[in-house]
Amino acid sequence: MLGKSPAMPDAGGAHSGYLITHGGFTLLLECGGGVFAKLRAHADPAAVDAVLISHLHADHMLDLLPFSFALASGLLGDPPRRPAVWAPPGARAAFSAYSRAVGMEDQINDGFAVSEYTTDSLLELGPLSVSFAEMPHFIPAWACDVRADNGARITFGGDCGPNDAIVELATGTDLLMLEATEGVGPHAGNTLRGHLTAPEAGELARRAGARRLLLTHYSDQLDAEAVRSAAARAYGGSVEMATERAGYAI
């Protein structure tokens, strides 16, 4: 766990960034602000084989820029590597605009081999396969189900409001990672929902029959124990809370 913060990072923390390793393959799931520094402190960035981005909000992709600079400049080995980046539709143009806006030409697309997935995509990334479901959020966003060749599964909801698609995608998963941005709730108002409360996350995990529930994307301004307890009551079982530098075996 490299970072779990929502849009305002925790004090000393990083935005979303999760390192998945299996069978000699390393997948970085999300690369938000501060994640590249945390990655350098925890592992060798040159060992990352692929990066997967759920949506194009800054707290999920901002550090693709310094990561790509390090790659393209040979700072992570010479000759430079170009790991795969899989990102939502429109990502190439968005990455180009972001890079050029800060005077770094087409840095992200140059540093990585960028490809775009769709809801129907099934990615084969080394010993991992990844499928997707579109989520309700403030911009187009996707959840992903990551399956290892030994049958182990991690399902990541990304940023999302309450929905049935995540239940279908995550049915029977070993570990369901859901956000709890809105804390213990209850949510007020009838506006578009782009995030979950802890009880909503617990209920979705219960409906999916997830074996474990890990809450992430919650602020350090929240009472973590209150968030965990609220989710656990709805889930009907124990709930884990994402913390930086923690590891989770599947």
Side-chain angles (χ1 to χ4, degrees):
M1 182 75 60
L2 301 176
K4 63 85 180 168
S5 300
M8 184 180 80
D10 297 346
H15 286 143
S16 294
Y18 313 97
L19 206 60
I20 299 173
T21 59
H22 174 70
F25 190 90
T26 299
L27 172 66
L28 177 60
L29 175 58
E30 311 286 54
C31 193
V35 166
F36 185 56
K38 300 286 185 178
L39 175 62
R40 291 192 63 212
H42 178 77
D44 180 5
V48 172
D49 296 292
V51 183
L52 180 61
I53 304 296
S54 69
H55 67 290
L56 299 179
H57 272 155
D59 56 328
H60 293 257
M61 52 70 66
L62 193 68
D63 265 19
L64 287 177
L65 191 60
F67 195 169
S68 62
F69 174 80
L71 287 164
S73 301
L75 298 175
L76 301 180
D78 195 21
R81 296 176 63 245
R82 292 186 74 225
V85 166
W86 286 91
R92 286 193 195 90
F95 293 161
S96 181
Y98 168 38
S99 299
R100 294 181 190 283
V102 293
M104 297 188 73
E105 300 182 346
D106 206 8
Q107 183 67 69
I108 295 175
N109 289 315
D110 288 343
F112 292 102
V114 178
S115 298
E116 298 176 4
Y117 60 76
T118 67
T119 304
D120 297 329
S121 295
L122 178 62
L123 307 185
E124 299 293 340
L125 305 177
L128 306 174
S129 62
V130 185
S131 56
F132 299 90
E134 191 166 2
M135 295 288 103
H137 192 49
F138 306 115
I139 64 172
W142 280 261
C144 62
D145 186 63
V146 182
R147 301 188 184 219
D149 56 6
N150 64 0
R153 290 175 62 196
I154 299 174
T155 310
F156 174 59
D159 284 7
C160 66
N163 70 94
D164 294 327
I166 189 62
V167 174
E168 181 177 354
L169 183 70
T171 296
T173 191
D174 294 307
L175 178 66
L176 177 55
M177 294 173 57
L178 289 177
E179 62 139 277
T181 309
E182 295 184 357
V184 298
H187 176 79
N190 297 313
T191 58
L192 170 68
R193 297 293 306 282
H195 292 295
L196 296 172
T197 65
E200 288 168 340
E203 174 64 13
L204 290 172
R206 184 193 64 77
R207 290 174 55 201
R211 293 180 176 87
R212 293 164 64 187
L213 172 60
L214 175 65
L215 293 185
T216 189
H217 208 266
Y218 62 91
S219 172
D220 61 355
Q221 292 185 317
L222 298 174
D223 182 333
E225 178 54 28
V227 171
R228 187 202 63 76
S229 296
R233 286 192 294 270
Y235 176 47
S238 62
V239 171
E240 300 167 83
M241 302 296 287
T243 56
E244 286 189 13
R245 302 181 70 179
Y248 305 87
I250 308 299

